[in-house]
Structure formats: structure tokens, C-alpha cells
Amino acid sequence: MSECYEYVPHRLLYRRVRDIASGVEGVLMAVINENVSDTGIERWMELAYIRNATGREFTTAATNVEPAPHQPQTVAGRRDQRSA
């Protein structure tokens, strides 16, 4: 079994994304082509590493990643924009 892996470019890298499988949102930290097999037969898959609000990262299939919906602004955020 090969232990090699390869980083894959992704248009949403370092942006806020949503995992459609779980509904969890976070920042896309990396997409890596990895051998996910635990047998002697290799099975390669592009895994997305997403860091959630607590700072913990989880993986999901790269095809499950979509841009996160826009978050409503806080009152402080709107106030800061007016003063700029």
C-alpha cells in the first residue's frame, strides 16, 4: 500500500465553506488526494480538510464542499462600516 499523497488546488481554499454531508461550516484548509484504503488494494480519493469554529479539522469528500451561505452581519460590523 502506498503512503503517498498529493495536494490538489481548489477554488475555495482558505474560504468559508459548508460540508453538504454534515451541514458543518468552516474554512477549507487543504484538499489532498489520499489513499483511503485499509486493505492491500489502493483506493484514492480527494479529501477536503475543513477547520470548524472550534479549531478542529475534519475531512469530507472534496465533492461535498460548497461555499458557505453569507452570514448576517452583526450590529458592530455594520457600525464599523459606517465609520469607515
Side-chain angles (χ1 to χ4, degrees):
M1 177 166 53
S2 173
E3 296 298 326
C4 295
Y5 57 89
E6 174 184 17
Y7 284 87
V8 178
H10 196 281
R11 66 184 179 86
L12 297 173
L13 200 58
Y14 305 116
R15 295 203 173 152
R16 188 150 184 81
V17 296
R18 181 176 163 280
D19 171 23
I20 61 173
S22 67
V24 177
E25 294 183 7
V27 176
L28 181 62
M29 302 307 292
V31 176
I32 301 176
N33 190 25
E34 291 187 45
N35 179 7
V36 295
S37 174
D38 58 356
T39 67
I41 301 170
E42 292 185 359
R43 182 169 172 254
W44 292 85
M45 182 175 181
E46 287 187 0
L47 292 178
Y49 284 76
I50 300 172
R51 183 174 295 161
N52 66 19
T54 65
R56 296 189 75 175
E57 289 186 10
F58 66 95
T59 60
T60 189
T63 55
N64 285 346
V65 175
E66 68 180 13
H70 287 83
Q71 301 296 316
Q73 287 186 323
T74 63
V75 174
R78 281 185 249 136
R79 192 176 314 124
D80 292 341
Q81 284 183 348
R82 273 195 307 241
S83 64

